[in-house]
Structures are given as C-alpha cells and as structure tokens.
Amino acid sequence: MSRSWGYVRRNPLLLVGVAMFILLLLFWLIGPQVIDVTRARPISAMADQRPSAEMPLGSDSVGRELLPNLLVGSLYTFEIGLTAGLIGLVVGTILGFIAGYFGGVIDSFISTAADVALTIPALAVLVVIASVIKEVLNVRNLALIVAALSWMRPARTIRSQVLSMRERSYVEIARLSGMNDWQIIVQELLPNLLPYLAATLVGAVAGALLAAIGLEAMGLGPQTEPTLGMTIFWCNYYGALLRGMWWWWAPPIVAILYVFAALFAISSGLDELANPRLRRAR
Amino acid sequence: MSSRYIVRRVLLFLLVIWVGTSLIFFLPRLAPDRDPVAQRLGNLAATGGINTEGLDEMVEAYRAKFGLDQPLWKQYLNYMFDMLRFDFNYSIAMYPATVFEIVMRAVPWTVGLLLVSTLLAFAIGSLVGALLGWPRTPRVMHWVATPFLMMSSVPYYILGLVMMYVFAFKFKWLPLGGGSQYGTVPTLTWQYVWDVVHHAILPAASMVVAGVGFWALSMRGMMVTTLGEDYVMLAEARGLSPRRIFFRYAMRNAILPQTTGLALSAGTILSGSLLVEVIFRYPGMGSVLYRAITGFDYFMIYGVVFFVILAVGAATLLLDLIYPLLDPRIRYSRK
C-alpha cells in the first residue's frame, strides 16, 4: 500500500488522469437522469438555436439538442475507443506471447505481419471498408472495424517483453519444476506483464479513439447515432464555424481535448511502471 | 550498408504495397451486402444522380471487371493489374476526368504542406525535447513546453478547427480555407506564391503545434538515456563547453532514433494531414478523398487510398535506407 502511494506521489499525473475519468464517468452516470437523451435525435428541437436556459448548449441545423448530443456522443465515442482498444490489446497480447515465447518461424511470421500492417496507414484501409458498408455502420461495427487494425502495437510491445522475460531464471525454475508452457505463460509471465498491459491498453485506446474520430470526421461514422466525430463532420458539412455557431462545434472539441488530455496524463503516470529505467533517470 | 539489407528492405516495401492493396480489395467483400458498389452505381443511374453522363458505361466497366459473375481470382488479378498501372478508372462525380488526373492535381498541394510542416515540427520538437532532457535548461522552459506536450496526443484537425476560429474567423488575420485566392491561375509570380503561402499558414501551423509535442516527448526520453552514457561523462571530464556537449555529443546521438520514429509514424502523420485538409478545404488529397466519400465516388476512394499506401510505404523505405548513412554504427546484419 505504502509502495503504491509512493508511486502515485512520484507520478501525480496518474492521479490527475484518473480524477478526470471519474468526472467523465459521473457525467455519463448522472447525465441521463437530468438530461433527456432522446432529444439528441434530429428534429426534436427547433433548429439553429443559441444556448438558452432550456437548451444549455443550443441546437444544430437539423434540430438535435446539443447537450444530450454531447452526452450520448461522448459515451458512444468512448465506447468505440475502449472496445476497439480492448480487442486490439487482447489479440495483440496473444500474438505477442506466441511470437515471443515460441520464436522461430511463427515469430518471424507474426513480426513481419505486424511490421507490414504498421506501415500500411490504418486510416486508408478503414476508409475503404467503412465507405463500402456505410449504411450498416453503427457503434458496434465501427468498433470492430477499428479493432481489426489496433493489434499491431500491443503485439510488438508484448513480444519484446516476453522475449526478455523468457530467459529469466524464474522461468527456468518453473520449467524445471515441471510446469508446461501454458502454465508458465499464465502463472509466471502474465502477472509480471500487468503493468505493461495497463500502459499498452491506454495507448491502444488512444490510438483507437484517434482512428475512430478521424473516420467519423470524414463522415464514416454511425449514421444514425451521434458521436463526437460525427458532430464535427456535421459542423463541417453545415459550415457551423463560418456561421458563428460556436455552441455546435466547440463542445465536441472540448470533449475530445479532455479525453485525450486524461489519457495522456494516465499514460505519463504509468510511464515509470512500464519503463523502470525512467526512475533512475530522475 | 550491405546490399542484403537493401534487398530485404525493398522486398518489405513490395510486401507492404501488395498486402495493403489486397486488403482493400478483400476486406469490403466480407461485408454481408454482396455487391454494394454495383448496387450504388445502379441507384445513381436510376435516380439520375449527380452526373449520369457515362454512368452506364462505368457500371458496365465495373461489372465486367469486378462483377460478381466472375470468379474471385479473376476479379483480383484484374484489380491488381489496374492498380499497378495506376489505372483507377474514371471519377464517378467528375466523369470525363480520370481518377489519376485528379489525384495528380492534388498531390503537389499535399506533399508541399506535409513536407514543410513535418520537417518544421520535427526540427522544433527535437530541439525542445533535447532542451527538456538537459539539466542546465532553465525551469521556465518546462512550464512553456508542458501545454505542447499535452497537445501531442490531440488530432491535428481538432487544433486546426480552434486555430481557424481564432485566427481566421475572429481576428480575420488569415484566410478561412482553400489553397489560394478563389479564381486565381497558378503562375510563377511573387503574388501567387505569397497567396499560396498565406493560405498554407494555418493548416501547417495546426500540424506543427500538435507535432512539436510528439517529437519533444520522444527526444526528451532519448536525451536522458544519452546523457547517462560514458562518452558524455568523459566529455564533461575533459572540460568541454556545455554547448559543445549538448550539440555534438548528446543531441547528435539522441536524434538518431528520432529518424526511426519518423519512419514509424509516417502513416499517422499523413492520415492526420488528410483530415486537416478537409477542415481547411485545402485542395490536396484529403479534400479529394472527402469529396469522394461524401459523393460515393468509389473509384476515386480506391485511387486516393492506393496512393496513400504507396506514399507511406515509399517514405518509410526512404527513411530506413537513409538511417544507416546517418548512423554508421548500424550494420544491419542479422545477429
């Protein structure tokens, strides 16, 4: 306990990031009690209204009320990022373990595949897929599409970690005491990798969010559900900025900046855990 | 640099192009909707969409080449062969023009914007990062740099929107968007060049501001590692001036892995710049792609995406080939 407290004191940013997320969670939990989320649909409010007492963030050109839109949109966007990031992490971890632990041909195959997939710009491939299935794009499908291209970085990080851990003496002892490969991976290696997995998850979620919001801003997001990126797309489409409708384009931007700042704070806070060498450097 | 390394690296490049091109062929085919493109083209023709002229021919051409009545391997071979010859068919939305012509008109804009802003961000970011990792740097620097570091994870176009509002909409210092004054003809006069630069400032600035933090962060990490090396301690013991140690010993070595970082993030940077173009209606590949998506100009989407894959692959290859020249310690022989 005192050790983890010491860690947090050395890395106050971690606390800042977690606090920011707790605030966001509260917004998502309490928001729907106070705000009527059905008004995030088009033609539920008078179009192009400035913020007022009844509509704290006004409305857009197709009559969505923008405060519910922000609430639902930020929740959906984060859902996409988290789902895609988690799937990417799980798939990447499995591949990384296989490649790092067993080595040989299978390692070269997985490593080359990850290198190739990392060089191909994800957004380009995603654009093609998303534009073909535009009609059936919803929150779940978008998350799956983005997840398909977020396994490479986790796979590479975990592979290099496993590669160095495989040679440690405790693995040797575990093997001598009769544990099989599977037991060694699950009981010995995985627990030691937890800090890396946490740090990698934050990175994977940030990457997935970046890809998802980018796709949405191009108009390739869920067509009927509001998300932060789609709101930016509609702002661009209807020229919200040029028409001075700041209440339309500013909230999604603030929300995106907020989420990325929180993720940044958490990942810098976890940096020391993932790269113990940093501790000595200070 | 061994010839084996070059051969391996070029093979990897070809693999990237082949896999990327194949992915965008096969993945959409996994969708439950069997032939959405022919369907959509048919719809356009039926409703007399944006430009019906030549649409029938295109539907025919599409069916003949990629139609589902043909075996998959044949569709695939046709497709690959067309891609390699840069034959992407006509643009659906701007019929008589081919996709290749339109993309070629957009490429110089994107390359110009991307090259200048990436180099600026890389240079400024590396210098700032080196200073942040240097113990003699005054405390103020850390305070100034922190907002930039925070912005390193923010997408370029988000910053672009904010900057556009402040500098173009509120204060009207800079144009709101576009590549040059509407209706001007490209000529090699100072006036035109200034016009282009004037229009590029905001999109470039949004990429530079977001990019500086990214490069500074990785440079700071490298700098800290380099400063712990024995040769830096020896340089200090020899009584060399701090300035010389900073530039010649620490920074010169710390900047090498940054080049690898540049190669690794080429795709992310290009994707980001495409979205910046959309926001600023900049006449490059991003805007072409955006128009193609909103107008479902299917051939155009494929053309632009192929070029993006090609460009990122080539940039990565180039950087990987340059790297051993910068750092003679690297041998690149396997084990």
Side-chain angles (χ1 to χ4, degrees):
Chain A
M1 190 63 212
S2 66
R3 244 183 79 204
S4 50
W5 179 239
Y7 182 87
V8 172
R9 281 194 49 180
R10 273 199 313 278
N11 298 280
L13 268 178
L14 182 62
L15 214 58
V16 174
V18 171
M20 286 173 84
F21 261 105
I22 292 175
L23 270 180
L24 204 57
L25 274 177
L26 286 178
F27 176 56
W28 288 332
L29 281 175
I30 300 172
Q33 317 293 327
V34 195
I35 304 165
D36 180 8
V37 289
T38 57
R39 290 176 64 82
R41 295 198 198 110
I43 27 178
S44 53
M46 213 204 289
D48 296 335
Q49 294 301 302
R50 292 183 149 271
S52 61
E54 308 95 82
M55 292 198 281
L57 286 179
S59 63
D60 72 5
S61 288
V62 291
R64 293 185 192 92
E65 201 197 318
L66 286 167
L67 183 61
N69 188 66
L70 178 69
L71 174 66
V72 181
S74 56
L75 189 55
Y76 279 150
T77 298
F78 194 72
E79 192 186 323
I80 294 171
L82 190 65
T83 319
L86 271 175
I87 297 176
L89 179 74
V90 170
V91 175
T93 305
I94 294 172
L95 288 175
F97 260 106
I98 296 174
Y101 192 82
F102 296 105
V105 185
I106 198 160
D107 178 24
S108 347
F109 181 76
I110 292 177
S111 302
T112 312
D115 280 350
V116 168
L118 269 177
T119 315
I120 299 168
L123 192 77
V125 178
L126 295 174
V127 158
V128 171
I129 306 171
S131 59
V132 170
I133 61 158
K134 199 170 166 186
E135 271 84 21
V136 291
L137 264 181
N138 52 28
V139 167
R140 197 195 45 157
N141 285 349
L142 187 61
L144 289 179
I145 294 176
V146 174
L149 286 171
S150 16
W151 54 272
M152 296 87 76
R153 274 180 210 279
R156 272 172 53 137
T157 338
I158 300 302
R159 173 186 170 268
S160 60
Q161 285 308 316
V162 172
L163 218 51
S164 76
M165 281 167 65
R166 198 181 54 175
E167 309 300 330
R168 303 268 171 83
S169 44
Y170 65 87
V171 176
E172 196 65 24
I173 288 172
R175 190 171 289 131
L176 288 175
S177 65
M179 283 169 103
N180 61 30
D181 288 338
W182 189 236
Q183 283 169 322
I184 292 176
I185 289 179
V186 174
Q187 293 174 21
E188 301 291 331
L189 297 183
L190 211 52
N192 278 303
L193 272 178
L194 281 179
Y196 285 94
L197 290 178
T200 313
L201 177 66
V202 178
V205 170
L209 273 175
L210 195 68
I213 298 175
L215 268 184
E216 289 164 5
M218 286 247 175
L220 294 172
Q223 304 292 308
T224 49
E225 294 144 310
T227 55
L228 295 180
M230 281 312 278
T231 310
I232 288 180
F233 171 74
W234 294 123
C235 285
N236 205 25
Y237 192 84
Y238 287 104
L241 201 133
L242 305 185
R243 289 158 65 198
M245 296 171 72
W246 55 267
W247 61 91
W248 190 357
W249 60 264
I253 286 188
V254 172
I256 291 171
L257 288 176
Y258 184 90
V259 171
F260 275 109
L263 284 172
F264 176 81
I266 293 182
S267 81
S268 335
L270 289 174
D271 226 12
E272 189 190 307
L273 215 57
N275 310 304
R277 253 194 310 174
L278 276 178
R279 203 176 314 173
R280 256 181 290 141
R282 287 197 188 165
Chain B
M1 187 163 34
S2 72
S3 55
R4 263 193 70 190
Y5 170 69
I6 300 177
V7 170
R8 263 193 57 221
R9 200 51 203 78
V10 171
L11 282 180
L12 190 68
F13 165 73
L14 294 176
L15 193 64
V16 163
I17 303 300
W18 174 64
V19 171
T21 325
S22 304
L23 269 182
I24 58 176
F25 174 82
F26 285 111
L27 284 180
R29 256 151 248 258
L30 298 176
D33 194 359
R34 286 317 294 163
D35 198 354
V37 180
Q39 219 173 46
R40 193 119 31 160
L41 284 171
N43 284 350
L44 269 180
T47 54
I50 7 172
N51 191 350
T52 43
E53 187 193 350
L55 205 58
D56 295 336
E57 286 155 57
M58 266 188 287
V59 176
E60 272 316 300
Y62 174 79
R63 278 196 206 283
K65 266 188 182 152
F66 310 110
L68 290 172
D69 42 327
Q70 300 210 25
L72 193 66
W73 64 268
K74 207 168 170 198
Q75 294 176 41
Y76 178 64
L77 281 185
N78 277 333
Y79 160 84
M80 280 312 247
F81 198 61
D82 280 356
M83 285 292 184
L84 292 180
R85 285 183 305 147
F86 294 135
D87 177 4
F88 310 111
N89 218 326
Y90 292 103
S91 155
I92 297 171
M94 289 171 265
Y95 169 58
T98 62
V99 167
F100 186 72
E101 284 168 22
I102 297 172
V103 169
M104 276 300 126
R105 234 177 287 150
V107 162
W109 293 99
T110 301
V111 170
L113 180 66
L114 197 60
L115 218 56
V116 172
S117 46
T118 308
L119 288 180
L120 270 179
F122 184 79
I124 302 174
S126 298
L127 188 63
V128 170
L131 284 172
L132 288 178
W134 182 243
R136 289 165 188 265
T137 306
R139 201 90 206 118
V140 193
M141 185 73 191
H142 292 264
W143 289 109
V144 176
T146 306
F148 284 93
L149 298 186
M150 292 289 275
M151 274 187 275
S152 64
S153 54
V154 171
Y156 302 151
Y157 56 97
I158 297 292
L159 275 181
L161 270 171
V162 176
M163 285 184 161
M164 186 174 166
Y165 177 73
V166 175
F167 298 110
F169 185 76
K170 263 259 113 92
F171 294 117
K172 299 189 169 50
W173 289 342
L174 290 159
L176 275 159
S180 59
Q181 198 66 248
Y182 191 74
T184 43
V185 191
T187 43
L188 246 177
T189 57
W190 280 115
Q191 200 189 351
Y192 182 72
V193 171
W194 168 241
D195 192 32
V196 169
V197 171
H198 195 58
H199 278 79
I201 292 176
L202 269 186
S206 57
M207 290 168 67
V208 171
V209 170
V212 161
F214 178 79
W215 297 117
L217 267 180
S218 55
M219 185 68 179
R220 184 182 64 180
M222 273 319 296
M223 195 70 177
V224 169
T225 315
T226 311
L227 286 176
E229 297 279 353
D230 291 341
Y231 56 77
V232 175
M233 202 196 283
L234 182 68
E236 275 166 4
R238 281 170 66 201
L240 296 181
S241 71
R243 191 192 169 83
R244 189 174 163 135
I245 296 175
F246 179 79
F247 282 111
R248 291 294 195 78
Y249 288 75
M251 202 175 157
R252 193 173 169 183
N253 282 294
I255 206 159
L256 290 168
Q258 289 278 88
T259 343
T260 318
L262 196 58
L264 278 176
S265 39
T268 323
I269 297 174
L270 180 58
S271 311
S273 83
L274 294 183
L275 283 152
V276 169
E277 288 183 9
V278 172
I279 297 294
F280 284 99
R281 290 170 171 77
Y282 202 74
M285 308 255 288
S287 296
V288 171
L289 183 62
Y290 175 77
R291 271 201 312 268
I293 291 170
T294 42
F296 200 72
D297 196 340
Y298 191 74
F299 301 133
M300 189 74 102
I301 297 180
Y302 265 95
V304 174
V305 164
F306 179 76
F307 262 94
V308 167
I309 294 175
L310 195 67
V312 172
T316 317
L317 171 70
L318 199 69
L319 282 165
D320 278 358
L321 290 182
I322 290 176
Y323 190 57
L325 300 179
L326 296 178
D327 191 352
R329 288 170 302 183
I330 306 275
R331 287 279 149 82
Y332 285 113
S333 52
R334 294 193 103 180
K335 274 180 198 154

